[in-house]
Amino acid sequence: MPKSVMCGNELTVYLSGDIDHHSARKIREATDALIQQNQPGVLKLNFGGVNFMDSSGIGLIMGRYRMMLLYGGSVKVVNVPDNLRRIMELSGLSSLNVFERSGEFCESVK
Amino acid sequence: MFLKEVVNSVKVLNEMTVTFESRSSNESFARSAVAAFVAQLDPTIGELNDIRTAVSEAVTNCVVHAYKDQIGKISINVRILSDNIVCIRIRDKGCGIEDIDKAMEPLFTTAPEEERAGLGFAVMQSFCDIVKVRSNVGSGTTVTLNKRISPRVGNG
């Protein structure tokens, strides 16, 4: 289960390790369970701990984007490491306005 | 094309082949094995990351598409050619691709239920210098990735 913090109506999920087709399934299931449980208005995916990501990570973001849209919410992608920048740019996700520089103001709130 | 001519006239300096089953748990093994072999060229972290990503995309295609409902063998051959060129061939004996042009279109995917973004080939093309795909329906697909590693000055 990835580390997560619920703050106001904002759920931050801290992703870590490698995101590929193999690991994306577990991350997807865990994240979706957290969304169902917390019903946030904003889902923040924090990529700070991610070492590697291929296009499975793009699918993961797009899938959560659609899901949150269905609930009337939104997705923010934060803390993207330099080595993931190119694949994020290539994905066209920037046109969905999901990128945010950073914003971990509610660290202490459980 | 300049790079193509270079590729045709170069010598093979080193070579390795690895064969493994099309289990998704082998995706990270595959990209790590290729990266470990290529490391002898002293690539930058960025170049190594490009190779890892491209290999991961190609191998995932084998797992998700070529051997959709079965486990088969995936073979990766890596050759280090003169002029710092790395040539990676990812081969499967799976179902093959009916329409390669269509398969290579960005955002096209036949597995949306798996949340595939349809960006596999676009990533390979963006992260490598040359991407070639050969496929026969019913007998398999070979993806060839070429990438030139920038020579490091003063590293003999």
Side-chain angles (χ1 to χ4, degrees):
Chain A
M1 204 64 151
K3 198 186 131 201
S4 67
V5 174
M6 187 71 192
C7 169
N9 76 335
E10 205 175 271
L11 172 69
T12 303
V13 178
Y14 295 85
L15 304 173
S16 60
D18 288 10
I19 302 181
D20 62 8
H21 161 252
H22 179 70
S23 67
R25 179 192 297 258
K26 279 176 223 151
I27 299 169
R28 180 170 76 209
E29 286 168 3
T31 307
D32 287 355
L34 286 165
I35 293 171
Q36 305 286 0
Q37 191 187 314
N38 293 288
Q39 306 193 339
V42 179
L43 171 69
K44 258 192 187 179
L45 296 172
N46 189 315
F47 280 78
V50 177
N51 305 312
F52 171 87
M53 184 182 105
D54 63 17
S55 68
S56 310
I58 304 302
L60 185 78
I61 298 170
M62 286 181 1
R64 305 295 73 64
Y65 178 84
R66 283 192 211 103
M67 189 182 203
M68 288 302 294
L69 216 58
L70 217 62
Y71 292 138
S74 61
V75 169
K76 289 285 172 205
V77 173
V78 300
N79 221 354
V80 177
D82 281 344
N83 60 325
L84 304 189
R85 244 161 242 274
R86 241 175 95 201
I87 196 157
M88 292 281 192
E89 281 164 15
L90 189 111
S91 70
L93 280 171
S94 52
S95 64
L96 299 180
N97 197 27
V98 296
F99 294 114
E100 198 175 83
R101 278 200 66 81
S102 195
E104 290 136 290
F105 305 115
C106 303
E107 277 306 284
S108 57
V109 184
K110 184 140 194 307
Chain B
M1 217 167 124
F2 172 70
L3 196 58
K4 224 174 207 166
E5 284 163 19
V6 171
V7 168
N8 289 334
S9 66
V10 289
K11 276 190 284 184
V12 179
L13 300 177
N14 199 356
E15 184 170 8
M16 79 96 164
T17 303
V18 61
T19 303
F20 51 92
E21 292 192 333
S22 62
R23 301 181 190 278
S24 65
S25 54
N26 284 334
E27 290 158 4
S28 83
F29 161 75
R31 62 176 179 266
S32 303
V34 174
F37 185 71
V38 172
Q40 63 192 283
L41 288 176
D42 198 15
T44 63
I45 291 172
E47 286 167 338
L48 213 49
N49 190 55
D50 289 355
I51 287 174
R52 254 192 222 112
T53 312
V55 169
S56 197
E57 300 293 350
V59 171
T60 301
N61 277 348
C62 300
V63 173
V64 175
H65 301 290
Y67 298 116
K68 199 172 192 272
D69 301 309
Q70 51 175 324
I71 297 292
K73 293 275 164 66
I74 300 170
S75 194
I76 303 183
N77 170 264
V78 187
R79 287 178 301 161
I80 292 175
L81 311 175
S82 48
D83 205 28
N84 266 18
I85 292 168
V86 179
C87 177
I88 306 164
R89 254 189 324 196
I90 299 105
R91 188 178 298 175
D92 68 68
K93 293 197 159 102
C95 67
I97 304 170
E98 248 171 65
D99 186 342
I100 295 176
D101 290 337
K102 186 92 191 153
M104 291 181 84
E105 264 174 35
L107 305 180
F108 175 81
T109 181
T110 53
E113 73 284 356
E114 288 221 40
E115 289 195 343
R116 305 305 306 157
L119 289 171
F121 281 118
V123 170
M124 288 182 238
Q125 283 171 326
S126 165
F127 286 42
C128 297
D129 299 321
I130 301 176
V131 178
K132 276 189 267 183
V133 183
R134 273 197 192 171
S135 191
N136 288 307
V137 172
S139 62
T141 301
T142 301
V143 173
T144 308
L145 309 169
N146 281 338
K147 187 173 178 71
R148 185 166 184 267
I149 304 299
S150 56
R152 296 284 190 104
V153 183
N155 240 341

